[in-house]
Amino acid sequence: RHTRYIGDWSSDVCSSDLEEDDWPPCMRKAVADLSAGVNVNHFGRLFLASMASTLALPQEACVDFFRGAPDFDEGTTTYQVGHVYQHGYTPSGCGKLKVNHNCPVLPGDDRLCDQPWLDHPLKYIRATQRRKHRQQQAEASQERKEEPSEQARV
């Protein structure tokens, strides 16, 4: 499944092959904080749920992100996550995450986040996916070069 960040073709994200290490630092930090029992602010929780929805993660997986929260309530969390999924909330960009203290990255911490064009977490995911795809292509090309051709073996 592909998800498009509205108004930006460059952040077309393929969620079918998404891995946790593709997630932007802000999303990984929110999940880690909640797992550790940290009380993530409302903006951070809404961001996490909207990212999970946009990335087509199952609702149950999203609810599981919140299980470690000090105020976790199964019914309330399931309802709120369902609301975010049903109404298609759009994840906030980097500027709003910084203003609301939900961006854990300082200049120099993450080379990708330091790029001037990176202004949205979905762009981070797309960039990591493109990098992995290019690496896979390069590795496949190298393997083909190392294999002797049919003509050489005959």
Side-chain angles (χ1 to χ4, degrees):
R1 173 176 170 189
H2 288 271
T3 303
R4 189 168 316 284
Y5 167 58
I6 298 164
D8 190 341
W9 286 91
S10 68
S11 59
D12 190 20
V13 174
C14 182
S15 56
S16 61
D17 60 353
L18 186 66
E19 298 174 8
E20 282 187 40
D21 62 342
D22 296 332
W23 294 356
C26 48
M27 186 173 176
R28 289 192 307 255
K29 176 84 163 104
V31 170
D33 282 354
L34 287 164
S35 294
V38 173
N39 193 14
V40 173
N41 66 23
H42 173 74
F43 189 87
R45 292 176 188 217
L46 182 58
F47 164 73
L48 181 57
S50 61
M51 279 293 287
S53 173
T54 301
L55 297 174
L57 298 177
Q59 278 187 241
E60 301 78 32
C62 184
V63 169
D64 287 343
F65 289 150
F66 297 96
R67 288 195 187 281
D71 58 352
F72 178 77
D73 177 86
E74 181 88 29
T76 302
T77 303
T78 300
Y79 171 79
Q80 291 172 337
V81 166
H83 183 81
V84 169
Y85 273 64
Q86 180 182 5
H87 293 285
Y89 282 56
T90 303
S92 294
C94 297
K96 287 186 179 181
L97 288 164
K98 289 174 184 174
V99 167
N100 288 285
H101 311 287
N102 295 105
C103 176
V105 179
L106 297 173
D109 284 353
D110 187 298
R111 201 175 72 114
L112 186 53
C113 286
D114 288 339
Q115 300 303 312
W117 54 264
L118 198 131
D119 60 358
H120 199 280
L122 291 174
K123 286 184 178 182
Y124 185 98
I125 293 171
R126 185 61 185 145
T128 59
Q129 288 181 330
R130 284 183 176 165
R131 185 193 75 235
K132 282 183 177 181
H133 181 70
R134 283 192 302 267
Q135 286 174 339
Q136 289 169 347
Q137 285 180 324
E139 288 169 5
S141 176
Q142 185 63 28
E143 287 173 7
R144 284 192 299 271
K145 287 179 184 176
E146 291 173 0
E147 291 177 3
S149 68
E150 282 295 317
Q151 295 292 338
R153 284 187 258 168
V154 177

